[in-house]
Amino acid sequence: MREFVDSLRHSLAGVPGAWTALSVAALIVAAWLASILARKVIARGVARLMRASPMRWDDAIADRGVIHRIAHVVPALLVYAGIAWVPELPGGVATVVRNLAVAYIVLTLALALSALLAAVNDVYLQRPDAGSRPIKGYLQVGKIVVFVFAAVLIVAVLIERSPLLLLSGLGAMTAVLLLVFKDTILSLVASVQLSSNDMVRVGDWIHMPQVGADGDVIDMALHTVKVQNWDKTITTIPTHRLISESFRNWRGMSESGGRRIKRALHIDQGTVRFLALDERDSLKRFSLLRDYIQRKRQELEEWNRQLAEAGQEPVNTRRLTNLGTFRAYVEAYLRHHPRVHQGMTLLVRQLDPGPTGLPLEIYCFTSTTAWGEYEAIQGDIFDHLIAIVPEFHLRLYQQPGGVDLERGLARLASAAGAQG
């Protein structure tokens, strides 16, 4: 082999630069072959072995291509070592090539370390508490630090100066760096506060109307938090805004096991009146009202008897009202409803009357937090209550519509015709 090289070199002696060009070509071919060997054979073999092992962390490293990136160092090392063996190559060219090779090695190792940090996050996400304590933001800060130091080393290698000299010059650029990385610093502080105070987790339902966010948190990064809204659109929120502005987190509702119903039936106040005795007795057919009517009957009879003995006027007697009885029915109905949470607040109360009638508010919680089931339960409850209101001789308030006006005009026309 040596004799072949010597003869080839002797034959090219008459052509200036031919031997140098041939040596450079041989170095390039060798680097290319080394790259193929490192990436296609060694890196793939190591990745297959890692995936075959029962451990999870090595699978994440293989999936993120850490070994594949490290394999790119091999041809750069070959070029760095082999350039010195190229004959008749100017010293300046050899120096530039070596510096470029070292810079490429530093960049490749930085990319490999970045992929390794991503693999660490993949492994961490498999923990059951990963959603409540995300580390993606911290790993992104680590990536920034890695690339900053890699950039300093690359510049130091290319200009052939000490990296310490460049780092010492960064002190004078602190103000500029703070301005450039203002958003990163704000986001880092916000990420620490969000994590330490457990304010937001991946999977939480948050509502932030000022940015149009209303849905589940699907990703928490250093600079942004992604929310998938209920219409399947994605809203991206700067992390620091979750600290500086208010938002609603529905996690407490989800963890409580119940979701609130707070809605009112507006009663026409003109239909509120006392119940006659026969009307009161007829309401006993409602099984939910039997105990209430019996208890109130005894209470009112005792009260009214004392008034009669004292010689009070009958106008001072107490009587059942249709609204009070309906309110008792609604509460009893909710108390016996299988899908209403009995361990949480349950109220049926009157609100201040207004132009739209007397609001009778139902305040309770369903036994599920699933959106679809919640809406179905709420709908069933109010379907029943709206349909049963006439049984208590009450009427719900409703602004006049076209049919009401048509009926009113027809009655006026009939009355006018009768008089004519």
Side-chain angles (χ1 to χ4, degrees):
M1 182 66 180
R2 183 178 181 82
E3 294 177 355
F4 173 75
V5 172
D6 291 339
S7 62
L8 182 60
R9 182 176 183 178
H10 179 72
S11 62
L12 295 175
V15 182
W19 180 244
T20 302
L22 183 61
S23 299
V24 171
L27 180 60
I28 294 174
V29 172
W32 177 65
L33 293 175
S35 176
I36 293 177
L37 178 64
R39 292 185 296 109
K40 304 295 185 180
V41 180
I42 299 177
R44 285 187 178 180
V46 173
R48 288 176 181 175
L49 290 176
M50 297 177 74
R51 289 191 178 94
S53 68
M55 294 180 292
R56 295 180 298 179
W57 61 267
D58 52 359
D59 293 340
I61 291 176
D63 294 337
R64 285 291 180 176
V66 177
I67 305 302
H68 181 77
R69 295 181 184 277
I70 295 177
H72 285 274
V73 175
V74 175
L77 287 174
L78 183 61
V79 171
Y80 178 83
I83 195 66
W85 296 90
V86 176
E88 301 176 3
L89 189 69
V93 175
T95 301
V96 170
V97 172
R98 282 196 297 269
N99 291 344
L100 290 174
V102 173
Y104 180 76
I105 291 172
V106 172
L107 177 60
T108 300
L109 292 178
L111 292 174
L113 187 55
S114 175
L116 180 61
L117 292 176
V120 170
N121 186 61
D122 292 341
V123 175
Y124 181 79
L125 289 177
Q126 299 178 16
R127 292 167 53 96
D129 58 344
S132 60
R133 301 291 181 182
I135 63 171
K136 186 176 181 179
Y138 306 117
L139 295 179
Q140 287 182 329
V141 173
K143 291 180 182 181
I144 293 175
V145 173
V146 168
F147 284 114
V148 168
F149 276 101
V152 171
L153 290 175
I154 289 173
V155 173
V157 168
L158 293 178
I159 66 176
E160 297 183 340
R161 293 291 186 273
S162 172
L164 297 178
L165 180 63
L166 295 178
L167 290 175
S168 63
L170 292 178
M173 298 178 62
T174 302
V176 177
L177 290 176
L178 289 177
L179 182 61
V180 172
F181 293 103
K182 179 189 68 173
D183 293 336
T184 300
I185 295 172
L186 289 175
S187 299
L188 175 60
V189 174
S191 296
V192 172
Q193 291 181 338
L194 289 175
S195 178
S196 60
N197 296 325
D198 197 18
M199 297 172 63
V200 179
R201 304 175 187 172
V202 175
D204 283 355
W205 171 15
I206 67 172
H207 178 53
M208 198 172 184
Q210 58 268 40
V211 295
D214 186 14
D216 291 334
V217 177
I218 59 174
D219 183 61
M220 294 180 63
L222 175 63
H223 293 91
T224 58
V225 173
K226 291 183 179 180
V227 177
Q228 185 173 43
N229 302 309
W230 300 123
D231 59 359
K232 300 306 179 183
T233 58
I234 304 295
T235 299
T236 302
I237 308 173
T239 307
H240 63 86
R241 293 194 64 175
L242 294 174
I243 297 297
S244 60
E245 301 180 24
S246 63
F247 67 95
R248 176 180 293 181
N249 192 330
W250 293 82
R251 187 202 315 158
M253 179 272 295
S254 301
E255 293 178 348
S256 69
R259 187 169 178 180
R260 186 182 68 176
I261 295 176
K262 185 182 179 183
R263 186 186 292 182
L265 292 170
H266 292 263
I267 306 296
D268 188 344
Q269 298 177 83
T271 61
V272 179
R273 60 177 177 81
F274 292 112
L275 288 175
L277 292 179
D278 58 335
E279 292 175 334
R280 184 193 67 183
D281 294 337
S282 68
L283 289 176
K284 289 182 179 180
R285 69 183 189 278
F286 292 98
S287 60
L288 296 176
L289 285 175
R290 288 171 186 169
D291 294 338
Y292 169 79
I293 292 177
Q294 180 66 22
R295 184 177 69 254
K296 294 297 290 185
R297 185 181 65 80
Q298 295 176 356
E299 176 186 340
L300 296 180
E301 287 178 355
E302 178 65 23
W303 175 273
N304 295 333
R305 185 173 64 252
Q306 294 177 3
L307 286 178
E309 293 174 355
Q312 297 290 334
E313 294 292 335
V315 72
N316 296 314
T317 59
R318 292 172 55 189
R319 288 175 286 174
L320 282 178
T321 63
N322 56 351
L323 180 59
T325 306
F326 177 65
R327 180 162 47 87
Y329 173 82
V330 174
E331 182 174 352
Y333 177 76
L334 295 176
R335 294 287 182 191
H336 289 80
H337 198 289
R339 302 305 302 276
V340 173
H341 202 302
Q342 303 301 322
M344 294 185 175
T345 305
L346 195 156
L347 295 173
V348 181
R349 58 177 183 169
Q350 293 183 19
L351 302 181
D352 294 337
T356 58
L358 177 64
L360 187 67
E361 185 181 74
I362 286 84
Y363 191 103
C364 62
F365 291 80
T366 61
S367 59
T368 179
T369 60
W371 189 6
E373 296 181 25
Y374 162 80
E375 294 292 349
I377 296 170
Q378 183 176 230
D380 289 342
I381 290 174
F382 280 89
D383 288 347
H384 175 78
L385 296 180
I386 292 172
I388 208 167
V389 162
E391 294 287 342
F392 295 85
H393 308 285
L394 292 169
R395 186 171 61 246
L396 296 179
Y397 180 85
Q398 179 174 286
Q399 291 185 353
V403 175
D404 299 315
L405 296 176
E406 183 180 351
R407 290 175 179 173
L409 292 174
R411 290 173 183 171
L412 290 175
S414 299
Q419 293 177 0

